[in-house]
């Protein structure tokens, strides 16, 4: 037998030493500039952020320490100076030269980390998007005896560190020097630097200047004292126009102290689609985080644009969006409650402003009310609906009519509105977004209200019947009309109704339309499929062409002696009723209209020839 080596006799693997990841800095910079950051402009935000965090860190130990950040742009170069905590040579090697390690994780600062803006340790790399080299000169405030240190890094991944004489940086703090890379000089131009600094840093808590020009503008517009509510409203409207480019209908305070949020929502002056995602401006501890925060408010609050400052929400790694977590969900709900409370306050105390708002944004309020019983109860006297009595609220309409009838589609409403109004039937157009849902919810907030969907049977039942003797005398006319329209799945009935000017009314409901669609499909299908569709034939009532016995034209048609001409006239009345109801025409309906038109022309010209 061949002997086999047992596992115990096999040599054990030799231990392997761990390896360190090698980072291609140029590749990483390309990744940052094309995938993490939306624009090269974020480099300035990162510089401001580092400077502000350094000042904050120093004030942890020295509450009275100076808090200044200065930016100087000239000749394609930028210099950023701060009076922050500074760095020693050991800090430089540990923090600046290690990608992903944030100074906020340094010993003694972890517990105060919530006071800092940056937390990911990649901010300084953003400068490589606009510069080939970064030079940092810093002196530590925590180690007064340590000399100034200079750190110079290139985008090829190399860096040098050296100590400097005390005269190079006599006071604690840090200075960052950038020289623009080829093609990026515009980002370091004085005007662009000032513009970006104002955009990012207008709410920062320290003294930030570009040259001699102040960047910060505190307190924030929503926190400033004003002589009165009117003056505050005017000032905030001006702020909204400067920020978003429109003058708001109204302003809503968005103070949520428990979440560290202060700000304002501006109500849009024109209607927008509910599907349009609103972009809101969010500042994080004074620094602009994003101008396109889409998930900040509930979906129904699409009629406002917000600007706010927060210290509780988490940014993503790029610090250009909000991290979706439980905190953001809670803030979203709290801000929604503020907007809801504003609407309730208008309903209770300022009906004119509420009416102006609803004339533009009733769709948003209806979206909220269909899911919120209290909001429906509050807004019920104000929400407008299209009805046969004009534009009314549900409350007003229900007071006038014992049964609240509604249609599910605009086409159904247009079909029956003129006739229903003349017969005293109140109907609400439920075909617009959310309207039928709200009408059906009416009994839940108004007990005792009867709500019913209007159908062809209900309308027909409210029309006056024709005297049986007269209808019997017209049986030949009705038989000819029914025979002609039967292939279209439409019955013919005779009634008397107002207005007299309407010769015929086409009535159907959803079940009748579904049955007609099934019948059309069956007629066009092959044998097997036609058999399957035939087995699905329903018992729903068919569409009806209701002829108005009071209309003079109908009376003249009913007196015609020629059954063929009666059939052609019935087709014409059917087509005219469809057009009046603004219903989409099927191919068969279009063919019928053409046939009836040609038939009437032939009859008219034949009659003239006969007379000649």
């Amino acid at each position: 037998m061949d002997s086999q080596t047992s596992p115990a006799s096999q040599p054990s693997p030799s231990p392997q030493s761990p390896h360190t990841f090698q980072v291609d800095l140029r590749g990483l910079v390309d990744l940052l500039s094309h995938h993490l950051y939306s624009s090269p402009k974020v480099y300035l935000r990162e510089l401001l952020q580092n400077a502000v965090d350094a000042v904050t860190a120093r004030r942890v130990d020295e509450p009275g320490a100076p808090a200044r950040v200065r930016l100087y742009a000239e000749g394609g170069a930028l210099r950023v100076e701060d009076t922050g905590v500074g760095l020693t040579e050991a800090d430089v090697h540990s923090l600046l030269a290690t990608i992903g390690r944030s100074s906020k994780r340094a010993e003694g600062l972890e517990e105060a980390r919530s006071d800092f803006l940056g937390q990911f340790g990649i901010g300084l790399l953003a400068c490589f998007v606009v510069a080939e080299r970064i030079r940092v000169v810093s002196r530590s405030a925590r180690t007064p005896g340590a000399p100034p240190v200079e750190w110079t890094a290139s985008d090829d991944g190399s860096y040098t560190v050296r100590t400097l004489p005390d005269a190079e940086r006599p006071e604690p703090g840090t200075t960052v020097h950038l020289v623009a890379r080829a093609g990026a000089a515009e980002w370091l131009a004085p005007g662009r630097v000032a513009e970006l600094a104002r955009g990012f840093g207008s709410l920062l808590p320290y003294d930030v200047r570009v040259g001699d020009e102040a960047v910060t503008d505190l307190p924030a517009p929503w926190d400033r004292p004003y002589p009165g509510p009117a003056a505050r409203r005017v000032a905030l409207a001006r702020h909204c126009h400067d920020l978003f480019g429109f003058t708001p209908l109204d302003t809503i305070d968005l103070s949520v102290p428990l979440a560290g949020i202060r700000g304002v929502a501006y109500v849009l002056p024109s209607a927008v689609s509910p599907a349009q995602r609103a972009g809101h401006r969010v500042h994080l501890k004074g620094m602009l985080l994003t101008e396109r925060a889409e998930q900040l408010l509930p979906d129904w609050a699409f009629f406002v644009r917000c600007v706010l400052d927060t210290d509780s929400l988490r940014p993503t790694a790029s610090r250009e969006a909000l991290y979706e977590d439980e905190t953001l969900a809670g803030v979203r709900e709290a801000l929604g409650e503020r907007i809801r409370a504003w609407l309730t306050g208008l309903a209770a105390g300022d009906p004119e402003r509420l009416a102006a708002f609803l004339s533009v944004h009733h769709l948003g309020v209806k979206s909220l009310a269909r899911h919120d019983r209290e909001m429906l109860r509050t807004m019920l006297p104000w929400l407008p609906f299209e009805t046969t009595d004009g534009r009314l609220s549900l409350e007003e309409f229900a007071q006038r009519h014992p049964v609240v009838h509604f249609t599910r589609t605009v086409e159904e409403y247009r079909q029956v509105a003129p006739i229903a109004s003349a017969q005293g039937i109140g109907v609400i157009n439920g075909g617009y977004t959310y309207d039928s849902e709200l009408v059906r919810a009416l009994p839940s907030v108004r007990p005792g209200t009867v709500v019913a969907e209007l159908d062809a049977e209900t309308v027909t039942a409210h029309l006056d019947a024709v005297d049986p003797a007269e209808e019997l005398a017209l049986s030949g006319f009705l038989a000819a009309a029914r025979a002609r329209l039967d292939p279209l799945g439409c019955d013919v009935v005779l009634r008397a109704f107002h207005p007299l000017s309407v010769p015929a009314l086409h009535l159907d409901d959803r079940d009748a339309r579904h049955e007609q669609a099934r019948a059309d499909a069956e007629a066009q299908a092959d044998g097997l499929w036609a058999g399957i569709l035939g087995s699905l034939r329903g018992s729903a009532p068919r569409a009806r062409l209701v002829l108005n016995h009071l209309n003079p034209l109908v009376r003249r048609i009913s007196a015609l002696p020629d059954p063929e001409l009666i059939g052609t006239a019935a087709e014409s009345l059917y087509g005219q009723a469809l057009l009046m109801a603004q219903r989409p025409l099927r191919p068969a309906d279009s063919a019928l209209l053409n046939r009836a038109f040609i038939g009437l022309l032939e009859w008219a010209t034949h009659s003239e020839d006969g007379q000649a």
Side-chain angles (χ1 to χ4, degrees), residues 10-93:
Q10 293 182 356
S12 58
S14 59
Q16 297 182 357
S17 58
H19 299 280
T20 302
F21 282 106
Q22 301 298 311
V23 177
D24 179 355
L25 191 57
R26 284 180 176 169
L28 183 58
V29 170
D30 181 72
L31 180 67
L32 293 176
S33 60
H34 290 95
H35 300 282
L36 184 63
Y37 296 125
S38 62
S39 166
K41 69 181 181 181
V42 298
Y43 87 91
L44 193 66
R45 184 195 63 199
E46 301 297 339
L47 288 174
L48 281 177
Q49 181 173 285
N50 287 342
V52 169
D53 284 344
V55 172
T56 301
R58 183 176 181 184
R59 287 201 155 190
V60 171
D61 300 325
E62 304 176 54
R68 296 189 305 272
V69 179
R70 297 290 184 265
L71 296 88
Y72 303 95
E74 185 178 2
L78 175 66
R79 186 172 85 255
V80 181
E81 300 178 353
D82 67 65
T83 57
V85 68
L87 301 170
T88 64
E89 183 175 355
D91 294 334
V92 165
H93 285 288

Side-chain angles (χ1 to χ4, degrees), residues 480-560:
R482 287 166 180 158
R484 185 61 66 91
L485 296 183
D486 182 70
L488 297 171
C490 183
D491 292 332
V492 178
V493 297
L494 189 64
R495 293 289 186 271
F497 56 87
H498 293 274
L500 299 179
S501 58
V502 178
L505 175 66
H506 182 270
L507 292 177
D508 64 359
D509 52 29
R510 287 181 303 152
D511 292 335
R513 287 195 295 276
H514 291 164
E515 175 62 19
Q516 183 60 54
R518 185 209 58 76
D520 291 343
E522 180 183 355
Q524 299 174 11
D526 57 28
L528 175 61
W529 186 238
I532 295 174
L533 290 174
S535 68
L536 299 176
R537 183 177 294 111
S539 59
R542 302 203 305 170
R544 297 178 182 183
L545 182 66
V546 184
L547 300 179
N548 188 0
H549 187 53
L550 302 179
N551 180 266
L553 176 62
V554 173
R555 284 180 173 272
R556 289 197 296 272
I557 293 173
S558 66
L560 292 172

